[in-house]
Amino acid sequence: MVSAIEEEVVDGYLVRRYPGGAVVRALISEEPELTPAPRVLTHKQFRDRLSFGEQLLLDNFSVAEYAEADPKIQALGVMQRAEVRTAIATFRDAQNVDLDDPATIRLVTLLGSLELLDEPSADRVEQILRGAQ
């Protein structure tokens, strides 16, 4: 590979001159490079993706008083409630929240499929997992 003998910026272009007279011009982009959203979050960062009502559900799902007052939880069968409790326990046991971890995906999709999220839809699940607003 031949190295440039001279480089300079001219009118927003990087100009490189090479031995033998070759000149290469490249437009310098002034737009910042987009950084992808982090895929591994702290629990706080993950909770920030949830509405207050969804946070209440995660925090109190196993509290009898709360469960008795929430018609969505009341409508669940015994095995469905057990599945949600296990998914929440796995979430709490994690040191951080990896949005690509099957356990995280399982928790969010389970809550969505059981209509426990504020908006029971695939769109809300996607919003939480992808960070879309």
Side-chain angles (χ1 to χ4, degrees):
M1 182 168 169
V2 178
S3 297
I5 56 173
E6 185 181 321
E7 281 188 357
E8 65 180 323
V9 176
V10 178
D11 297 325
Y13 286 87
L14 175 63
V15 179
R16 290 185 176 142
R17 290 180 174 70
Y18 291 89
V23 176
V24 175
R25 291 174 29 132
L27 180 62
I28 298 173
S29 173
E30 293 187 22
E31 293 182 27
E33 234 180 81
L34 296 177
T35 308
R39 302 294 300 157
V40 178
L41 308 174
T42 64
H43 279 265
K44 169 73 169 84
Q45 289 170 320
F46 181 77
R47 288 175 65 86
D48 287 345
R49 291 175 175 229
L50 304 175
S51 70
F52 184 71
E54 292 163 345
Q55 291 179 34
L56 275 173
L57 178 87
L58 278 179
D59 295 341
N60 297 291
F61 188 86
S62 294
V63 177
E65 185 178 63
Y66 180 82
E68 289 170 9
D70 188 320
K72 291 179 182 179
I73 296 174
Q74 291 264 323
L76 300 177
V78 173
M79 290 307 294
Q80 290 171 318
R81 281 180 283 177
E83 212 176 333
V84 172
R85 281 193 297 272
T86 298
I88 292 172
T90 302
F91 164 76
R92 287 188 180 138
D93 288 346
Q95 205 165 8
N96 50 40
V97 181
D98 182 345
L99 297 174
D100 296 316
D101 184 323
T104 303
I105 296 167
R106 185 178 319 113
L107 170 65
V108 177
T109 55
L110 179 63
L111 295 176
S113 69
L114 295 175
E115 300 185 356
L116 295 172
L117 299 175
D118 287 349
E119 301 167 27
S121 69
D123 289 343
R124 181 64 186 128
V125 170
E126 186 72 13
Q127 286 175 344
I128 293 169
L129 292 174
R130 301 288 169 234
Q133 296 298 326

